[in-house]
């Protein structure tokens, strides 16, 4: 196995770890705000790592740019939607969790 | 089996298990919101399935239409249902009861569940028999399509089949959308869109993403001639942008006078038909294009169809006739 494949493998596994962490948080955290917080953060980092790992396998720079563009677009979309979900919850009167 | 094959097999297995589970969840859920979210999830899983079956055209269409826009339509329908007080709303009082009242939980089922299950079982048995008795190594129509597809001009076999070889399929699909708009418009006027619902975040988001979506629509249309894409995918991209704009409080079709809106809705199918009829006039078959002009003609048809599909989808999302029709003024919202 070449070094570059190893880097890709490590990146993919790390990315999957962050996705897993985000999903576990979604299932385990107490209220909608904390869930959104953990999920969007975890998924953004996970996606970044996965795409970084894949860009080492890309055949050309245009492919790398496409992967980067995917990451940026998903980040814009997910941060906006998480804000909107939180806003909707707040308007409905969902109280933030306190210990 | 090598490592990659093993990973692919595991992935396929996960999708195969999830598909029926999510579908069942969507059908069985008593909570409408949950059912809609599961339906959207099902669409995304189906898109993944099509990708794994090496059918990116279908995957794009499924993700955009089956999951994205259908999801938006269902969610807005549910929200409208919740806002409607049965029988009292002036705009919906003439609707049939099943449209304004939530479905009954357990009372008077029209079809016995046993009869329904029996029918489904028969259908499943028939399909299974059909699949099992399929000849192995059937060539299908793929070699024939590959032989017929022109090499340079229209290299995407899916677009070739959909618009050149079987153009009436696409024409009829747009016809269905046209009928749907006619049905929605005849039901009543569009509900007042919620004002000041969207804050600066959503408006900023649309401002950022909107131009990119227009670019992607154009790319999908152009790429459709020799790569996955085409009028439907591009039109849905425009439709999705229209839905986003409506949500952000900037109704994209509001400033259009009624005749312009109707022209935009029918121009796609009309041009399609006109070209087809002209070809008959020139002594060819309906929707048969001369080789030399096939690409230009198909791009023209697809571009107009894209606009029509986009406008139709936004009109469907608006959920009724444009308000300007009744008041006679041009400030109607859609």
């Amino acid at each position: 196995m070449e070094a570059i494949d190893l880097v890709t493998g490590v990146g993919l596994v790390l990315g999957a770890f962050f996705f897993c962490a985000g999903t576990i948080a979604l299932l385990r955290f107490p209220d909608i705000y904390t869930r959104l917080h953990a999920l969007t953060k975890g998924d953004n980092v996970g996606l970044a790592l996965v795409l970084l790992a894949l860009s080492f396998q890309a055949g050309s720079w245009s492919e790398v740019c496409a992967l980067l563009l995917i990451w940026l677009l998903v980040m814009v979309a997910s941060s906006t939607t998480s804000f909107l979900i939180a806003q909707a919850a707040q308007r409905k009167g969902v109280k933030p969790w306190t210990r | 089996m090598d490592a990659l094959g093993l990973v692919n097999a595991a992935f396929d297995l996960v999708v195969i298990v999830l598909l029926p589970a999510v579908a069942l969840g969507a059908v069985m859920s008593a909570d409408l919101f949950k059912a809609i979210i599961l339906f959207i999830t099902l669409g995304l899983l189906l898109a993944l399935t099509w990708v794994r079956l090496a059918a990116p055209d279908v995957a794009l269409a499924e993700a955009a239409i089956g999951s994205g826009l259908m999801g938006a339509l269902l969610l807005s329908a549910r929200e409208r249902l919740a806002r409607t007080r049965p029988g009292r709303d002036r705009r919906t009082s003439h609707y049939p009861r099943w449209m304004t009242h939530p479905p009954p939980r357990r009372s008077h089922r029209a079809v016995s569940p046993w009869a329904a299950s029996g029918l489904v079982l028969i259908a499943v048995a028939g399909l299974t028999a059909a699949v099992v008795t399929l000849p192995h190594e059937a060539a299908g129509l793929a070699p024939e399509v590959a032989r017929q597809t022109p090499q340079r001009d229209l290299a995407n076999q899916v677009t070739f089949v959909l618009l050149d070889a079987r153009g009436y399929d696409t024409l009829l699909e747009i016809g269905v959308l046209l009928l749907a708009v006619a049905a929605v418009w005849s039901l009543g006027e569009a509900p007042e869109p919620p004002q000041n619902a969207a804050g600066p975040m959503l408006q900023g988001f649309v401002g950022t993403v909107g131009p990119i979506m227009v670019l992607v629509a154009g790319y999908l249309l152009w790429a459709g001639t020799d790569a996955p894409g085409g009028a439907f995918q591009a039109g849905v991209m425009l439709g999705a942008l229209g839905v986003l704009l409506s949500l952000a409080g900037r109704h994209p079709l509001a400033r259009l006078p009624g005749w312009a809106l109707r022209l935009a809705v029918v121009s796609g199918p009309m041009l399609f038909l006109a070209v087809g009829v002209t070809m008959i006039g020139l002594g060819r078959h309906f929707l048969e294009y001369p080789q030399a002009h096939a690409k230009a003609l198909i791009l023209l048809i697809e571009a107009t169809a894209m606009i029509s599909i986009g406008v139709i989808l936004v009109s469907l999302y608006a959920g009724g006739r444009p308000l300007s029709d009744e008041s006679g003024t041009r400030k109607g919202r859609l």
Side-chain angles (χ1 to χ4, degrees):
Chain A
M1 187 189 279
E2 289 181 39
I4 205 156
D5 291 339
L6 198 69
V7 173
T8 300
V10 170
L12 286 178
V13 170
L14 270 178
F17 168 77
F18 274 95
F19 271 114
C20 270
T23 309
I24 292 172
L26 175 73
L27 295 172
R28 299 290 302 162
F29 273 15
D31 76 338
I32 185 167
Y33 306 107
T34 49
R35 286 177 186 179
L36 277 173
H37 173 83
L39 186 69
T40 38
K41 275 202 168 57
D43 280 9
N44 276 338
V45 178
L47 184 68
L49 285 168
V50 167
L51 293 179
L52 187 70
L54 290 180
S55 65
F56 282 110
Q57 304 288 325
S60 66
W61 280 103
S62 70
E63 279 180 37
V64 176
C65 287
L67 290 171
L68 185 69
L69 194 64
I70 291 175
W71 181 55
L72 288 175
L73 284 174
V74 170
M75 249 202 331
V76 171
S78 72
S79 53
T80 309
T81 39
S82 79
F83 172 85
L84 290 174
I85 293 173
Q87 190 187 40
Q90 201 191 20
R91 281 183 182 167
K92 268 180 87 176
V94 180
K95 290 270 178 293
W97 171 80
T98 44
R99 187 177 283 280
Chain B
M1 194 185 284
D2 59 342
L4 192 63
L6 207 66
V7 171
N8 279 341
F11 185 82
D12 291 348
L13 194 70
V14 170
V15 173
I16 288 171
V17 171
L18 277 180
L19 267 177
V22 173
L24 264 180
V27 175
M28 307 281 283
S29 167
D31 181 357
L32 274 185
F33 184 73
K34 202 168 159 187
I36 295 170
I37 298 299
L38 283 173
F39 180 81
I40 296 173
T41 315
L42 177 69
L44 292 175
L45 281 174
L46 273 177
L48 268 183
T49 312
W50 288 118
V51 169
R52 287 292 301 142
L53 291 171
D57 282 274
V58 193
L60 268 175
E62 176 60 42
I65 307 175
S67 185
L69 257 164
M70 268 303 282
L73 282 178
L74 289 171
L75 281 175
S76 79
R78 174 189 166 273
E79 196 242 354
R80 200 171 164 186
L81 203 61
R83 265 191 296 152
T84 310
R85 279 169 305 171
R88 293 207 193 141
D89 195 316
R90 177 178 64 84
R91 292 212 182 93
T92 55
S93 52
H94 60 285
Y95 282 15
R97 191 188 152 79
W98 56 267
M99 290 183 79
T100 53
H101 291 64
R105 281 282 162 82
R106 290 213 164 267
S107 61
H108 68 271
R109 279 207 181 89
V111 186
S112 123
W114 293 109
S117 322
L119 283 177
V120 170
L121 271 183
I122 292 172
V124 168
L127 282 175
T128 313
V131 170
V132 168
T133 53
L134 272 182
H136 281 285
E137 309 288 331
L141 290 172
E144 178 70 9
V145 169
R147 201 172 56 77
Q148 295 263 342
T149 306
Q151 282 308 304
R152 284 191 317 257
D153 278 357
L154 214 64
N156 182 13
Q157 296 183 354
V158 178
T159 302
F160 167 73
V161 169
L162 283 184
L163 277 141
D164 202 335
R166 288 176 62 89
Y168 50 89
D169 275 6
T170 309
L171 179 61
L172 288 178
E173 277 165 17
I174 302 178
V176 167
L177 280 180
L178 204 59
L179 276 180
V181 163
V184 166
W185 279 359
S186 63
L187 275 175
E189 57 194 29
E192 198 79 21
Q195 297 297 319
N196 70 35
M201 270 297 273
L202 187 55
Q203 285 174 354
F205 174 70
V206 180
T208 311
V209 174
I212 303 177
M213 290 175 82
V214 175
L215 190 70
V216 171
Y219 169 77
L220 281 172
L221 186 73
W222 178 253
T225 50
D226 50 18
F232 256 90
Q233 287 90 342
V236 173
M237 191 56 76
L238 291 185
L241 176 58
V243 170
L244 272 178
L245 280 168
S246 322
L247 284 172
R250 299 182 176 190
H251 307 288
L253 306 176
R255 295 219 184 93
L256 274 186
W259 62 267
L261 178 65
R262 283 163 176 75
L263 187 68
V265 165
V266 296
S267 57
M270 290 316 280
L271 182 76
F272 212 145
L273 268 181
V275 171
V277 172
T278 311
M279 287 304 141
I280 296 181
L282 295 176
R284 294 169 176 276
H285 291 296
F286 182 58
L287 294 177
E288 179 201 352
Y289 312 115
Q291 280 282 341
H293 305 296
K295 180 169 182 175
L297 272 177
I298 286 183
L299 264 180
L300 182 67
I301 291 175
E302 288 215 296
T304 340
M306 168 185 78
I307 304 282
S308 284
I309 291 168
V311 173
I312 288 174
L313 291 174
V314 179
S315 307
L316 286 178
Y317 180 76
R321 264 198 310 284
L323 288 174
S324 57
D325 279 16
E326 276 79 15
S327 57
T329 62
R330 293 282 157 81
K331 67 175 183 64
R333 304 168 194 84
L334 195 96

